[in-house]
Amino acid sequence: TDFLEFTLVRLAGGRSMSLADAQEKIEVWRRFYNEARPHSALDWQTPTEFARQSGLKPALSNSKEPEILTSER
């Protein structure tokens, strides 16, 4: 529990954050990291670009770069 609280405070830039808010921010970051950013293993292409170039059907994704600054509103 202490680790979870520490992690939530770090995610919030020193401010407290609800677990639901943290989960939402982590999911946005995870999708961006796995789906929208260029990967070195894909010759610096995004997974969508790689799939299209390889003739594969790309996964549908609306992943955008996550907002780095966080605040609970």
Side-chain angles (χ1 to χ4, degrees), residues 29-62:
W29 177 86
R30 185 197 66 78
R31 291 192 66 183
F32 170 76
Y33 186 87
N34 289 322
E35 300 172 10
R37 74 176 179 89
H39 292 261
S40 61
L42 303 177
D43 197 23
W44 296 108
Q45 298 177 82
T46 66
T48 300
E49 292 167 336
F50 181 80
R52 285 190 184 129
Q53 193 173 64
S54 301
L56 303 171
K57 182 180 177 186
L60 296 177
S61 173
N62 292 328

Side-chain angles (χ1 to χ4, degrees), residues 7-17 21-22 25-26 66-73:
T7 303
L8 293 175
V9 170
R10 295 264 331 242
L11 283 171
R15 297 175 300 277
S16 63
M17 167 188 289
D21 192 30
K25 286 175 177 32
I26 290 168
E67 182 181 324
I68 301 300
L69 300 175
T70 61
S71 63
E72 192 169 15
R73 294 181 182 136

Side-chain angles (χ1 to χ4, degrees), residues 5 20 27 41 55:
E5 289 175 18
E27 178 61 16

